[in-house]
Amino acid sequence: MARGTLFDRWLIDLATTNPPLGREEWARAMRAEFETLERGRTGWALGCLSALLGWRLRSNLGFLLAFVAVALCLDRLSLLIVFPLVIRLHFWLPHSELGPLTYAMSGATLAIASGAFAAVRPRHWPAIGIGMTFFNQVGSLVWFFFVFGKTVSIRRLHIMDAPIDVGIGACLGYSLIGALIGQSLARAFRRGSLKSPASA
Amino acid sequence: MVTRSRRLSNQALAVLAALSGEDWRYGLEIATATGLKSGSLYPLLIRLSERGLLESRWLEPERPGRPARHAYRMTGAGRAALREAMRPQTEFKLQGAT
């Protein structure tokens, strides 16, 4: 059997291991041609990888669009939920606790959204957590500049009432924890360990 | 009622032309004949196969120790599509017209 460099092997493994449903035979076909190649293996493997990315993108397009749309709008959506709650609570709680509570509830919506998407795609929970934070911040910034224009410098922006790096870190924490919980719950349900004895 | 016939891309036509013989051909051979990279070739082969313009099968390895290879051949529908594409014609045709 023709030998390839470790890098070529790694590329073709990446491209042909675990292809999307319905593309298994084609992945095997691409790999079989790779095995017969004497030269140009890296280019062939890279092409296979780009084919796989195209298939993955097409088969997950609905999920990706929903994910990006929710993440971009989550900041605005969470205000619709969080503010009415805070307004109700302000009769019961001291004013000094309302600010942190608002941010905690915003973080919770971030975690819940990440958890919901990670429950659908448990294997990708880290990417979901990171992606949720990224698109959420992009959405917030777009909204912020749409409302306030260019009169506010990014350096003066605060996220969750903290400097940008700390605020983004906090958002990332909420998202990753939510995604981890979502994937754990989804896996537990699929294994059946969370089903009631009656339904088992 | 007027319908637009689905035209084959130049790349798809090149693949069909490469398969115009009677023999089964491997992906590498088609790639060499058409100049297409694997990243463009396989999505094209899938599309053509799904449209019934080519058929595929696994062929036993020529040398021991090699894996079986996927080979392709044009179907009757593929020949007709290639002939149709090569002929200068209007893009629109009346549905039901012979």
Side-chain angles (χ1 to χ4, degrees), chain B residues 11-30:
Chain B
Q11 289 183 332
L13 288 174
V15 170
L16 286 180
L19 292 170
S20 55
E22 291 295 319
D23 294 337
W24 292 92
R25 298 193 75 178
Y26 297 121
L28 268 177
E29 293 173 334
I30 304 170

Side-chain angles (χ1 to χ4, degrees), chain A residues 10 18 23 27 40 49 62 74 76 88 91 101 128 135 144 151 157-158 167-169 184 189:
Chain A
W10 177 73
N18 199 15
R23 296 286 180 256
L49 192 60
L74 190 65
R76 296 300 103 192
R88 279 172 194 272
F91 294 112
L101 185 68
I128 286 171
F135 287 112
F144 195 82
T151 54
L157 280 179
H158 274 208
I168 287 179
S184 304
F189 268 111

Side-chain angles (χ1 to χ4, degrees), chain A residues 1-2 23 25-26 28-38 43-48 50-51 55 58, chain B residues 26-29 31 37-39 41-43 45-46 49-50 54 56 58 63 65-70 72:
Chain A
M1 185 174 288
R23 296 286 180 256
E25 190 179 23
W26 294 97
R28 263 204 310 141
M30 293 192 298
R31 190 182 189 106
E33 296 306 295
F34 172 85
E35 299 294 353
T36 59
L37 265 175
E38 297 293 339
W44 186 266
L46 280 171
C48 297
S50 79
W55 295 339
R58 240 164 269 139
Chain B
Y26 297 121
L28 268 177
E29 293 173 334
K37 306 285 179 207
S38 55
L41 176 65
Y42 280 89
L45 289 174
I46 292 172
S49 171
E50 285 171 352
L54 63 81
S56 58
W58 288 95
R63 276 187 281 168
R66 299 268 187 182
R69 292 173 75 183
H70 213 215
Y72 312 92

Side-chain angles (χ1 to χ4, degrees), chain B residues 77-94:
Chain B
R79 282 180 208 291
L82 185 61
R83 264 199 310 274
E84 183 89 354
M86 293 302 183
R87 202 174 55 196
Q89 58 173 11
T90 54
E91 274 187 30
F92 295 90
K93 65 181 178 186
L94 287 173

